[in-house]
Amino acid sequence: MTTLSVIKADTGGFVGHSATHPDLVATAEVLLRTKQEEGLLLDFHVGQVGDDIALIMSHGRGREDEAIHQLAWEVFRQTTEVAKKLKLYGAGQDLLADAFAGTLKGLGPGVAELELEERPSEPVLVFLADKTEPGAWNLPLYRIFADPFNTPGLVIDPQMHDGFVFEILDLKADRVAHFTTPEESYDLLLFLGAPSHYVVRRVLRARDGEVVAVTSTQKLSLIAGRYVGKDDPVMIIRAQSGFPAVGEILEAFARPPLVGGWMRGSHVGPLLPVSFQDRAVSRFDGPPRVTCYGFQLNRGRLVGPRDLLGDVAFDRARRVALEMAEMMRSQGPFEPHRLPLDEMEYTSMPQIMARVQDRFQPADQAGPARAAARGGLARRGGR
Ligand code: F6R
Ligand code: MG
Ligand code: MG
C-alpha cells in the first residue's frame, strides 16, 4: 500500500498574506529530502498556493502516522523560525500548539491522506486552494462524481455507473453521514449547498468502496474558537480507469463557483483556477484561487508535477472568474459579497453592538423624539 499525505500550513506570508517566501520552501525541501534519504518518505514535492506551503508526501506508513505527522510539524516549526528571522507576515500563524503530541489533528495544519493499492498506472491530482474554506470543494466534487453533464463516464463507463458515496462532515457538530449518488442526490445537495456547515470529507466508489477523493476538513476558526487564519483546503483525487478521467475532474473548475473566505475570511468571491505561475494572490487579498498538481505514482514515486490548470483551455474560466470578482466587489460591504454576520471569520459586531445596543428600543415605542431626547440625533447635527 502507498499512502499520499498532503499537509499544508501558512507559517509566514511574503508580502502580507499574498505568497510564500522561497526560503521557506527551500527549508521544507531540505528536511524532506533528508527524511527521504533516511527511508521515511518514498518521495515528496513542496507545493504552494497563496501564502500556504503544502507538503505532498508519499510513504508506506498509512494514514495518521505519528512519524509522518511529526515530520510535517517539524518542517512547519523550522519554516516558522525562518519566517520569524525574515520578519515575514503572520509567522507560525497556522501552528496552534506549542508542541507536537502524536497527531496533527486540531493543531492547525490542513491534512488530506489517502491510502491506495497502486493500479498498473495511478494518476493522482492534488488541488491546493487559498483564501477559501473546505466547503469550496463541495460544488466541484458534486460535478465530478455525481453530474453526468460534467462527467460522461458516469453514464458510459460501466465501472462508474453504480455511482459514488459522499461522506459529508457536519463541521458544527463533528458528525459524518454517507449519501449514495445518483439515488440520494437530492438529499445530498441539501447539505452540499451549505458549504460553511457541511463539507465533503471523502468520496468512495459505490461498487467496491474504493476511496477516490479526500479533502482536508479542518476549520481553523472552529478549532481555535477565534479567528486564526484561513483553513485554505487541499484535496487529492485519483483519476482514470474506473475513476473520473483527468479531464472530467478538471472540467469541474471550468465554471468557477462562488466560495467564502476572500479578504479577512469574510467575503465571497469566485474560485479562480490558476497556473503555478499565478498562484500568489493580490487583488483584495485574492481572489480565492485553486491550482492543481498532477502526478503519476510509480511505486511510491511522485512523477511530476504537471501544472494541470495552467492550460490555455482554462483562460476563459479565468476571464469569467475575474468578471465575477468585479461584480462581487461592486457590492462593497453588502451581502452576498460580505458573508453573513455569523460566518465572518472576524467581526467587530460584538463591540459595535455593545456600544450602540441601548439605541435599539422595542419597535412600536422607539421614535426620533426619544433618540433626540437622549442626544443621539443632536450630536449628529440633527440628521
Ligand atoms: C489571510 C487573509 C487576509 C487577511 C487580511 C488582514 O489569509 O485572508 O485577507 O485577513 O490581510 O490581515 P491582518 O488582520 O493580519 O492584518
Ligand atoms: Mg496568511
Ligand atoms: Mg493561506
Side-chain angles (χ1 to χ4, degrees), residues 17 51 89 131 227 230 261 263-265 285 346:
H17 291 283
D51 54 4
Y89 197 70
K131 305 298 181 258
Y227 176 79
K230 224 48 58 348
M263 180 54 87
R264 298 180 182 273
D285 283 358
Y346 47 122

Side-chain angles (χ1 to χ4, degrees), residues 7 41 58 65-66 74 93 95 105 161 164 168 173 175 177 194 196 201 212 216 249 258 275 297 306 312 324 373:
I7 305 183
L41 296 181
S58 58
D65 178 72
E66 181 166 348
E74 182 55 23
Q93 78 162 48
L95 301 191
K105 259 197 190 144
H161 200 82
F164 289 89
I168 61 165
R175 301 178 304 181
S196 61
R201 189 161 75 168
V212 48
S216 61
I249 297 169
L258 286 167
S275 67
L297 261 184
R306 274 211 60 229
V312 290
M324 291 163 74

Side-chain angles (χ1 to χ4, degrees), residues 17-93:
H17 291 283
S18 67
T20 52
H21 190 282
D23 288 4
L24 269 56
V25 177
T27 302
E29 284 172 346
V30 168
L31 184 54
L32 294 183
R33 186 155 304 115
T34 308
K35 294 296 169 184
Q36 184 185 13
E37 282 161 11
E38 287 176 6
L40 181 65
L41 296 181
L42 293 169
D43 205 354
F44 72 88
H45 183 82
V46 180
Q48 303 164 60
V49 66
D51 54 4
D52 304 324
I53 289 179
L55 315 178
I56 303 169
M57 302 176 285
S58 58
H59 54 92
R61 304 177 62 93
R63 292 182 298 125
E64 293 182 27
D65 178 72
E66 181 166 348
I68 298 296
H69 282 211
Q70 182 150 25
L71 169 60
W73 179 261
E74 182 55 23
V75 169
F76 293 136
R77 216 191 46 74
Q78 290 190 13
T79 56
T80 297
E81 286 313 307
V82 176
K84 281 182 179 161
K85 281 200 191 100
L86 292 169
K87 281 185 67 176
L88 297 182
Y89 197 70
Q93 78 162 48

Side-chain angles (χ1 to χ4, degrees), residues 287-327:
R289 65 194 59 203
V290 56
T291 192
C292 179
Y293 290 71
F295 298 97
Q296 285 289 150
L297 261 184
N298 176 15
R299 300 168 188 85
R301 287 297 163 108
L302 291 162
V303 181
R306 274 211 60 229
D307 178 2
L308 289 174
L309 289 173
D311 183 36
V312 290
F314 284 92
D315 285 355
R316 181 180 177 277
R318 289 186 253 281
R319 279 198 304 277
V320 169
L322 296 180
E323 283 305 321
M324 291 163 74
E326 179 57 28
M327 189 174 87

